[in-house]
Structure formats: structure tokens, C-alpha cells
Amino acid sequence: MTPDTADTAANLERRVREQEALLEIGLELAATLDLRRVLSLALTKAEEFCRAETSSIWELDEAAGELFFRVVRGRAAPEIENLRIPVGQGIVGAVAASGRAETINDVASDPRWRGDTSEEFDTRAILAVPLTARGKVIGVLQLLNPLESEGFSGDDLRRMQLFAGSVAHSLENARLYEREHERRRQLE
């Protein structure tokens, strides 16, 4: 086997393992309608997949035209958990508005970056992927600061785009279930 053939075989094997992991995660996400559990599991898996320092899921409040943290993890979470961002503003707002994933490996050089609101955390790199269900953006999955490299890779972006489909549909199903449960409780 030549070195090129060995590299190709190794890459193919790695991709097959990634696909299997994505399918397993999708099954885990689909197995529950508990919104908190779905989102917590999604973030844990996303951080593992891309070896990120922390992560969050922003959800769209359509009535207000803003994104809010549905789940935020990390040291600064208590300080920023009530933060809201207008759609179209900042990096996460731009991703929600455009519906296109972005990787910014030097946030300080991006004019949309507003800086960290907490002194507890220093954001260096962002990978943000829209969560789309039924053709509409319902939120944004965001990873911060890769642990083992200077920036997120094209492979990280590709993996998170694949992963976002499972997360978005699980989030939408859990939200619908939560609304229906609340509606029934009000009728009682």
C-alpha cells in the first residue's frame, strides 16, 4: 500500500466513524422530548466532536426578532445567560439572518464582534451554524475556542453542519411537545 493510499484509507475510515457517531447522536436526540435534556446532550456532543472549550444554543424569539440563550455552558454562563442579540447583529445574529454557517478563527479582527461581556472568558474563535427546521432558522448552534488548535477547521464546520440538522429537528419537536403540554395544562 502506498502512502497516498494509506492516507486515503485512513481518511475514509475516519469519515465512516464520524458518520456512525452522527447517526448515533441523532438517535439519542430523537429518543427524548425533554427540551433541557435534548439541548444539554447536543452541546456535550458538539463540544466532543470538535474539541471546543464551550458551546451554546441560541434560540430565535420570532416576535421580538432576537436570539436568546436557550442553553449556555462555560465559566461565563451565569453572567451572560440573559443576553439577547437582535437578528442580523453580531456574528451569531448574522448567521441567523443569513442562514449560512460561519467559522471565525480570529474574532477580534471581525467587525461584527462586540467583545466578551464577561471578564471570565476570552473568545478567540467561533463556529456558528444555523439550526433550521421546516425551512426556517429557529436558532444557532455556537462553539467557542477549539482546544487543540488555533482555529476551527473546515472538517469541524462540515461536521457541525451535519449535526445541526439533527439538533434542529430535535429542538423543534421538543418545543412543539412543550407548547402542547403547556396548552393542555392551561385547559385543565
Side-chain angles (χ1 to χ4, degrees), residues 70-88:
R70 177 55 92 155
V71 179
V72 59
R73 296 165 45 106
R75 293 185 311 272
E79 291 181 46
I80 63 172
E81 65 188 355
N82 295 318
L83 184 66
R84 294 178 78 90
I85 304 286
V87 172

Side-chain angles (χ1 to χ4, degrees), residues 89-96 98 100-115 122-130 140-146 149-154 156-157:
Q89 290 189 15
I91 294 168
V92 74
V95 168
S98 72
R100 288 189 313 270
E102 291 194 46
T103 302
I104 296 93
N105 283 321
D106 180 12
V107 296
S109 68
D110 191 302
R112 300 169 297 176
W113 179 241
R114 307 251 190 276
D122 179 35
T123 304
R124 300 178 315 278
I126 294 175
L127 187 154
V129 180
V140 176
L141 170 66
Q142 178 178 262
L143 299 177
L144 302 179
N145 301 343
S149 65
E150 289 298 309
F152 290 106
S153 69
D156 291 331
L157 181 62

Side-chain angles (χ1 to χ4, degrees), residues 25 29 36-58 69-74 131 140-143 160 163 167:
I25 292 166
L29 290 173
R36 272 284 195 225
R37 181 165 156 51
V38 166
L39 299 179
S40 179
L41 178 62
L43 291 179
T44 299
K45 295 297 185 180
E47 288 174 16
E48 288 173 8
F49 242 153
C50 292
R51 303 288 304 135
E53 184 174 351
T54 193
S55 59
S56 59
I57 291 180
W58 294 82
F69 282 119
R70 177 55 92 155
V71 179
V72 59
R73 296 165 45 106
L131 298 173
V140 176
L141 170 66
Q142 178 178 262
L143 299 177
M160 285 303 97
F163 183 60
V167 173

